[in-house]
Amino acid sequence: MPLDPPTLLTLSIALAAAAALYLAIEWRSIREPSLLLWSAGFATISVGSTLALLRVSGYLLIGIWFANGLLVTAHFLFLLGVARFTQTQLSRAWYLIFVAWFAMLSLSDGEMWSKAMLLVNSLLVALSTLRASFLLRPHGKSLSVGAVQLRYVLLAHGIFYVAKALTAVIPGTLIDLTAFRGEIIQISLVEGAMAIMLIALSMTGTERYRREKQIARLAERDPLTALYNRRALELRAPRLLEKVSSTRPGALLLIDIDNFKLVNDLYGHAAGDRLLVALSEMIRSLLPEEALVARLGGDEFVILLNNASTERIVELGNTLRDRFRTTSSQTFATPDAVTLSIGATLFDKPPVSLTALIEQGDAALYESKRGGRDSLRLTGLLLPVESLNRD
């Protein structure tokens, strides 16, 4: 079967429809808005290519102007999808693209009309496509393979449309949109079919990578507080612990909420959850970027950091206790105060294991509980436990 214009358009219709359907199915699974926008873009291409076939039957307004307008719309939807994917806010000025396209209605028929239509259509498609490619630049962070492919496919696609626009201003160039005549039109139909396939594959790979990253992130996070869980802490702790030395001591703080059961019993588990979230946010606000914090389960949290000192740990622990006591007392009236007990341990060389380190912190926490709660107990380097406690 020869690759004449109607055949190429039919191929484009099939490819675009398949891409739209696949991305729509993916969207139903993960509800990522960029997938829906990209699916809508391919569906628009499928409809526009179908309408383009009507020009051979004499429906020129629909087959040329309206079909090409849908092509511009499709690439604008691709741009919106990339903007959503990269979390970029597009200026409202981008909607002037459609104002420019509707202005084409005022042009008359003839060879110059075909050239003007090709010029404007190509530039508008190139504008959206090149902007989408620019939004996918790394921003100092590594991109997934799919995102890199999408970036360069869109870049090549946009450059092609710039070149296509330039041919429209070359004197003597044959461009007949009505009869699909002209070498640039033939090349454009071939490039369009190839671009649909490559863009669809790249978009699919891009979103699949993001979904896998999201799944991995959810697997290592506590669903309530969004802190690391114990498994994630065990995976990340070795990198931090190996940096511990006599000049950069490490520290572990084990934190437990005193009388937490009273909040759940008197105000319900939803109130207890709010208190756990409030505590997690306090911890985040007080820690340096390189520190690790995790929720071990229930109302027990752990902090792991290096480059620590006795004074720094005491200040951190007592500040956290004071803030939490103020928040809990103002929010929940209970027979006994809802406070924090903290057990901390300092060390100047990497421990045998994280489990052994947590056991040391647990012993210090037990001393804090046994000593009357709402206190900080520190074991390990420098000073005895009693001199570090502040009730």
Side-chain angles (χ1 to χ4, degrees):
M1 184 169 58
L3 291 178
D4 54 11
T7 301
L8 287 170
L9 280 173
T10 302
L11 180 61
S12 297
I13 293 167
L15 288 173
L21 180 60
Y22 180 76
L23 291 170
I25 292 172
E26 287 285 291
W27 173 79
R28 290 192 64 183
S29 300
I30 59 177
R31 299 290 175 174
E32 174 57 46
S34 57
L35 281 173
L36 190 59
L37 289 166
W38 291 337
S39 176
F42 282 116
T44 303
I45 288 177
S46 185
V47 174
S49 297
T50 302
L51 294 179
L53 288 172
L54 297 178
R55 70 181 69 177
V56 297
S57 300
Y59 297 98
L60 300 185
L61 182 62
I62 295 177
I64 298 178
W65 183 86
F66 196 65
N68 286 341
L70 289 180
L71 182 64
V72 173
T73 302
H75 286 80
F76 183 72
L77 288 170
F78 290 160
L79 172 60
L80 291 179
V82 170
R84 180 73 187 197
F85 177 80
T86 57
Q87 298 180 342
T88 304
Q89 184 68 40
L90 289 178
S91 168
R92 291 184 179 180
W94 279 96
Y95 291 92
L96 293 175
I97 284 177
F98 300 102
V99 176
W101 182 253
F102 277 103
M104 292 298 297
L105 276 175
S106 62
L107 296 177
S108 59
D109 201 352
E111 181 183 351
M112 292 307 298
W113 176 84
S114 286
K115 286 195 171 188
M117 176 69 72
L118 185 68
L119 174 65
V120 174
N121 178 78
S122 300
L123 289 178
L124 293 180
V125 169
L127 193 62
S128 293
T129 307
L130 292 175
R131 177 56 176 164
S133 176
F134 180 77
L135 291 180
L136 285 167
R137 69 193 189 281
H139 297 285
K141 301 178 181 179
S142 61
L143 291 173
S144 69
V145 174
V148 172
Q149 289 176 344
L150 179 58
R151 180 189 178 198
Y152 286 109
V153 169
L154 290 173
L155 178 62
H157 190 54
I159 291 173
F160 173 81
Y161 268 89
V162 171
K164 183 178 173 181
L166 293 177
T167 62
V169 298
I170 298 176
T173 305
L174 174 62
I175 297 173
D176 187 347
L177 296 179
T178 303
F180 293 112
R181 288 192 300 160
E183 188 172 322
I184 186 60
I185 297 176
Q186 302 286 337
I187 295 173
S188 180
L189 290 170
V190 174
E191 190 275 343
M194 293 177 60
I196 289 171
M197 189 165 47
L198 292 174
I199 292 173
L201 289 173
S202 301
M203 287 175 174
T204 302
T206 299
E207 275 300 342
R208 184 180 296 118
Y209 175 82
R210 168 178 278 187
R211 179 172 58 182
E212 289 172 354
K213 293 288 286 185
Q214 288 176 337
I215 291 173
R217 183 181 182 278
L218 291 174
E220 66 183 11
R221 296 282 178 172
D222 170 59
L224 177 64
T225 62
L227 298 177
Y228 288 127
N229 54 29
R230 180 156 188 161
R231 177 178 175 274
L233 179 68
E234 290 173 346
L235 290 175
R236 284 165 172 73
R239 184 179 299 179
L240 185 147
L241 294 175
E242 68 184 11
K243 298 178 182 178
V244 171
S245 64
S246 58
T247 57
R248 294 175 61 89
L252 178 140
L253 288 78
L254 205 60
I255 303 167
D256 187 82
I257 302 178
D258 305 318
N259 301 312
F260 180 66
K261 187 174 183 297
L262 290 175
V263 176
N264 285 332
D265 291 345
L266 295 174
Y267 296 95
H269 289 279
D273 289 347
R274 290 198 303 273
L275 192 59
L276 291 172
V277 171
L279 175 57
S280 69
E281 291 174 351
M282 289 179 201
I283 294 173
R284 282 197 194 94
S285 68
L286 293 172
L287 292 183
E289 185 176 345
E290 67 272 13
L292 292 175
V293 56
R295 181 188 178 198
L296 297 184
D299 59 337
E300 193 169 49
F301 298 78
V302 62
I303 297 173
L304 190 63
L305 65 165
N306 58 15
N307 197 23
S309 65
T310 301
E311 293 77 11
R312 183 183 181 191
I313 298 307
V314 171
E315 180 183 6
L316 172 62
N318 288 331
T319 300
L320 191 58
R321 287 171 50 227
D322 291 342
R323 290 188 183 182
F324 183 80
R325 187 192 307 112
T326 300
T327 297
S328 62
S329 62
Q330 291 177 348
T331 309
F332 304 108
T334 53
D336 298 310
V338 179
T339 55
L340 294 183
S341 288
I342 303 175
T345 181
L346 275 164
F347 49 96
D348 60 358
K349 59 183 179 180
V352 176
S353 67
L354 178 63
T355 300
L357 192 61
I358 290 177
E359 288 176 354
Q360 294 178 35
D362 197 51
L365 179 61
Y366 176 76
E367 290 295 325
S368 176
K369 292 280 190 181
R370 193 176 65 171
R373 304 179 178 179
D374 189 21
S375 61
L376 166 68
R377 289 290 192 278
L378 190 148
T379 62
L381 302 174
L382 304 178
L383 295 177
V385 171
E386 291 78 12
S387 64
L388 294 172
N389 177 52
R390 193 200 79 183
D391 294 328

